[in-house]
Amino acid sequence: MQIRLCDPKKDLDAARRIWSQIGWISDSNDDSRDMLIQRGRGWVMDLEGEAESLVITFPGSLRYLQDELSICAVTDVATSRIGRRQGMAARLTARAISDNAADGVMLCVLRIFEQGFYNKLGFGTGPYDHFVSFDPTQLKIDRKARIPSRLSADDWIIIHQSRLARMRSHGSIIIHPPEYTQYNVRHSTNGFGLGYFDGPKGELSHHLWCSIEDSRHGPYDIKWLAFQTYDQMIELLALLKNLGDQIHIMKVPEPPGMQLQDILLLPFKHSRITKKTPYQTIITALAYSQIRILDLESCINHTHLRSEPIDFNLELEDPIVDYLDKDASWRGIGGSYCIHLGEDSSLTHSIDPSLPTLKSSVGAFTRLWLGALPATTLAVTDQLAGPSELLDRLNWTFRLPEPKFDWSI
Ligand SMILES: CC(C)(COP(=O)(O)OP(=O)(O)OC[C@H]1O[C@@H](n2cnc3c(N)ncnc32)[C@H](O)[C@@H]1OP(=O)(O)O)[C@@H](O)C(=O)NCCC(=O)NCCS
C-alpha cells in the first residue's frame, strides 16, 4: 500500500466515492467537496490502483499571545469501506503531518471524530468550545442595531477577508485559502449572512453567518460572529435580538473571553421551562479539536511570557514515529531538551543534570504550552509527569488567556 500525493483530476472520482460512502456528500455526483482536493494539499493510499484512503490539509496560522505561528489544518481523513482497519488513515495522516513539518509548519490542528485516534499521532485535546442556545429576546441589550446589509454565499471573498480581520485572541486560528470559507458558506443549510461595511475603505467590518435548521421559528445555527471591536459584537447580537419576534432559539458559538450568560435574562428559568423542547435554552461545552506541536524550537522561540523565568529538562515522547515510513523526512519531535521559558524563551538539544525533568507526550506538552490545562492536572489526566515543585512552577509560568481556536475546522 503506497502513499502518494493526491492528483485532483485522477483522484476526484475515488474521493467522491469515499465521501459518499461515509455520508459527507449525498452521492458520487455531488460536487460540493471537490474544492477541498482542488485547493487543499492531499495524500492518498491506493489499493489495486484506486485511492481508498484520503487526507487533506490546508495552511493557516495560530495566534500565540501576540505572535502568529504557522499551522496546517487537517480537514479530511477518510477511508473507503473496503480499506478500513488496514492502518491507512493513521499512516496517511502521519505522512501529511510529516510533509507539512518538513516544510517548516509549526503546528497541526484538526477536528476529531472521537477522542483517542489522533492521540496516537501525538495530538492533545484543545480547549472547550461553548455553544450558547437562547431565545434572542432573552438578550439584555438595549442597543438598536442599524439596518444591516444582506450577505450571500456569493460574497465569500469579502466574508473571508472579514473573518481574517476579526478581533483575534490567544489560540485563535485562521485558514488562509478563501475557498475554505467559500466551502463553509456554500454548504450551510439555507445559509445567509448579515453585516456592516464600516471599514475605512468600506470593507465588511463585522458580520455573522447563519445556517437555518427551521426557518419558521428556529433553531438558527450561527456559524460565526466576526467583529473587530466589542461594540461591533454587541451590534451583531442586537441584530439577532431583532429576529426574536419570530425566531425562538439561536445557537451561537461563544466568542473568546466572554461569558454570554452574563447578558442573558433569567438563563436558569428559561433553561428549565424549555427543557426537552426543540427550543431549549442551554450552554454546552465540548472540545472538538486537537492540536500538536510540529516544530518545538520555533514554538518555544515564539513563547514570550511575563512570568518568572524557569529552566527545566524536557523528555518528550512522540508516538507519531510508529506511523511514519522509514524514509519520512521529518520523524517527530521526541527527544531530550533543555528549555528556558521567560520573556525570551529558548531550547537546547541537550539536558542539564542540575535541572528538574518534565516527562511528557507531545500532546500533553502542547496542551500545557497552549495554556489549555495546568501542569498539575495534566499530570493526573494526561501523559505528563515531573517533580511537584516543577509542576507548580509551570502552572504559574503558563497562566495564559484561555485559548480558543474561534474557527470551526
Ligand atoms: C476514522 C477513519 C478515517 C479510520 O480509517 P482507517 O483507515 O480504518 O483507520 P486505521 O486503520 O488507520 O486505524 C484504525 C485503528 O484506529 C483505532 N481507533 C479508531 N477509533 C479510535 C479511538 N477513538 N481511539 C483509539 N483508537 C481508535 C481502531 O481501533 C484501529 O485500531 P487497530 O489498528 O489496532 O485495529 C474511518 O473510520 C473513516 O473514514 N470514518 C468516517 C470518516 C471520519 O469520521 N473521518 C475522521 C474525520 S476527523
Side-chain angles (χ1 to χ4, degrees):
M1 291 183 290
Q2 276 301 106
I3 296 176
R4 62 177 173 81
L5 291 180
C6 174
D7 174 346
K9 283 203 187 95
K10 175 172 179 258
D11 297 318
L12 185 63
D13 287 346
R16 284 192 189 174
R17 185 175 56 230
I18 297 171
W19 288 330
S20 67
Q21 282 179 9
I22 62 179
W24 287 1
I25 58 175
S26 54
D27 56 51
S28 48
N29 295 320
D30 182 345
D31 63 1
S32 59
R33 290 186 80 85
D34 291 3
M35 181 283 295
L36 294 169
I37 64 167
Q38 284 155 357
R39 195 66 179 82
R41 190 177 176 192
W43 292 258
V44 294
M45 209 182 250
D46 291 333
L47 282 178
E48 296 183 3
E50 294 269 352
E52 300 291 352
S53 190
L54 167 73
V55 169
I56 298 174
T57 69
F58 273 73
S61 63
L62 176 140
R63 175 71 57 92
Y64 188 88
L65 295 173
Q66 300 304 316
D67 285 20
E68 205 67 24
L69 276 53
S70 58
I71 62 166
C72 60
V74 180
T75 59
D76 277 59
V77 177
T79 300
S80 74
R81 285 186 192 125
I82 67 162
R84 296 277 171 96
R85 303 295 281 261
Q86 304 300 319
M88 294 176 115
R91 274 183 63 204
L92 260 187
T93 311
R95 169 63 178 274
I97 291 168
S98 166
D99 284 0
N100 274 283
D103 290 347
V105 176
M106 297 177 208
L107 294 149
C108 183
V109 298
L110 45 76
R111 187 180 165 98
I112 55 174
F113 66 95
E114 183 49 276
Q115 201 160 271
F117 183 78
Y118 298 104
N119 296 63
K120 298 193 287 186
L121 302 178
F123 284 82
T125 301
Y128 278 132
D129 289 314
H130 292 101
F131 296 93
V132 187
S133 297
F134 58 90
D135 177 343
T137 59
Q138 267 182 279
L139 281 168
K140 293 192 284 179
I141 293 178
D142 295 332
R143 167 88 171 267
K144 190 166 166 54
R146 294 168 295 160
I147 293 174
S149 295
R150 262 190 292 268
L151 299 169
S152 76
D154 292 340
D155 299 312
W156 56 278
I157 293 179
I158 54 168
I159 290 173
H160 184 71
Q161 284 160 351
S162 178
R163 295 180 85 190
L164 298 190
R166 78 192 191 283
M167 180 189 283
R168 299 282 302 284
S169 64
H170 175 65
S172 69
I173 65 166
I174 53 180
I175 294 181
H176 290 315
E179 288 82 359
Y180 200 74
T181 293
Q182 179 190 33
Y183 170 73
N184 290 154
V185 294
R186 285 226 172 123
H187 302 293
S188 38
T189 314
N190 298 320
F192 73 91
L194 297 172
Y196 298 93
F197 290 82
D198 292 352
K201 294 183 183 148
E203 300 94 338
L204 180 64
S205 49
H206 50 304
H207 76 276
L208 59 86
W209 187 261
C210 178
S211 171
I212 300 176
E213 279 178 40
D214 180 331
S215 46
R216 283 179 312 161
H217 301 298
Y220 271 17
D221 187 3
I222 308 301
K223 293 296 181 187
W224 60 79
L225 299 167
F227 52 85
Q228 297 170 19
T229 66
Y230 287 121
D231 189 59
Q232 293 174 350
M233 183 198 75
I234 295 293
E235 184 161 40
L236 294 177
L237 292 175
L239 259 184
L240 295 183
K241 190 171 180 179
N242 284 355
L243 303 175
D245 293 337
Q246 181 196 3
I247 304 303
H248 302 329
I249 193 83
M250 295 198 177
K251 184 176 165 197
V252 173
E254 190 166 68
M258 303 278 306
Q259 282 191 341
L260 281 186
Q261 184 178 314
D262 286 346
I263 52 170
L264 289 182
L265 184 70
L266 304 177
F268 286 51
K269 174 180 171 182
H270 281 274
S271 181
R272 283 185 208 108
I273 62 182
T274 56
K275 198 170 178 181
K276 294 188 179 161
T277 75
Y279 307 110
Q280 186 170 7
T281 291
I282 190 166
I283 301 177
T284 55
L286 210 58
Y288 287 104
S289 303
Q290 290 193 334
I291 180 166
R292 63 155 291 156
I293 292 175
L294 306 183
D295 180 345
L296 184 63
E297 189 158 3
S298 295
C299 288
I300 296 295
N301 288 342
H302 281 281
T303 304
H304 305 293
L305 303 171
R306 293 194 187 154
S307 46
E308 283 273 297
I310 178 171
D311 293 88
F312 62 97
N313 296 316
L314 174 65
E315 277 181 23
L316 205 54
E317 192 247 321
D318 194 344
I320 199 171
V321 73
D322 296 338
Y323 297 89
L324 288 170
D325 291 342
K326 288 195 174 53
D327 59 350
S329 45
W330 174 89
R331 304 202 53 77
I333 57 170
S336 300
Y337 306 90
C338 184
I339 306 242
H340 170 79
L341 295 173
E343 183 65 50
D344 292 308
S345 304
S346 58
L347 162 161
T348 54
H349 291 263
S350 57
I351 59 160
D352 177 343
S354 68
L355 293 174
T357 298
L358 183 73
K359 292 185 182 180
S360 180
S361 65
V362 176
F365 186 76
T366 304
R367 301 175 83 188
L368 175 70
W369 168 82
L370 188 65
L373 279 181
T376 44
T377 48
L378 286 168
V380 178
T381 60
D382 207 333
Q383 294 168 314
L384 184 136
S388 55
E389 197 183 317
L390 175 62
L391 300 181
D392 283 339
R393 285 194 65 200
L394 286 168
N395 282 357
W396 284 95
T397 304
F398 285 113
R399 276 174 305 146
L400 301 173
E402 187 185 17
K404 290 273 181 195
F405 292 136
D406 192 27
W407 188 300
S408 171
I409 303 160

